[in-house]
Amino acid sequence: MDDHKLMREGLKQLFDGEDGIVVSGEARDGEEILEFLQNKTADLVLLDVTMPGIHGAELVKKIKKLPNSPPILMLSMHNESSVVISMLKAGASGYMTKDSSPQDLLSAVRKVAAGGRFIAGDIAENIAFEAGSATTMQLHELLTGRELVILRMLGKGQKVIEIARELNISSKTVSTHKARLMQKMYLDSDVKLMQYAIAHGMAD
């Protein structure tokens, strides 16, 4: 029995009997996943970064191009920031390593299936504050132009109402952009947002 099959069997045992979680299918490689999703619907795809055939960011992009594509949670042995960021930029909604606890995995599955985002805390911290090389992708690269502008303004200590006045938009719109950018960057507090902005030279 190969390692991937062992992993699939272990995951099925973990999910078996869990309220609200039903395994509707499994695949040995990327081609099987695409074939399955072209014929059936799913609320979530749990994807190994290094599975046989089409895999990684290429597979994520192909899945996201399908009609009614489900959210994707990556499960991998890799925790390098560049790998994680490439999966998120390709369209994955979450990323976990295979040494995560079963309970963390179950929580991630439920959150991503419900439309949320999830990334293991230690990985998010490494990405957010890693010095990295100039070629390393950063979390703020996931943002739209308007979200990036608002991130910089927030990083400089400007309040929502001040940003709204300067950009000539409503405070509610600014708050919506703020919530979205924090979700995309896996930041769960204003303090972490400020720390990120300072660490990346956005608060000058």
Side-chain angles (χ1 to χ4, degrees), residues 53-64:
I54 303 172
H55 65 279
E58 181 184 2
L59 179 56
V60 172
K61 290 177 182 177
K62 286 183 178 294
I63 292 174
K64 298 309 292 184

Side-chain angles (χ1 to χ4, degrees), residues 7 10 18 28 31 38-39 51 57 62 69 75 82 90 95 111 114 122 130 139-140 147 174 184-185:
M7 175 62 70
E18 285 291 324
R28 293 171 296 180
E31 287 79 3
Q38 286 170 348
N39 298 296
M51 66 189 309
K62 286 183 178 294
S69 63
L75 185 62
S82 59
Y95 195 103
K111 185 172 183 180
D122 56 338
E130 181 182 68
L139 279 173
H140 60 263
E147 289 168 348
V174 175
K184 286 183 179 180
M185 296 173 65

Side-chain angles (χ1 to χ4, degrees), residues 25 44 79 85 97 110 121-122 144 183:
L44 173 115
N79 63 0
I85 289 291
T97 54
R110 290 191 169 97
D122 56 338
T144 65
Q183 183 184 53

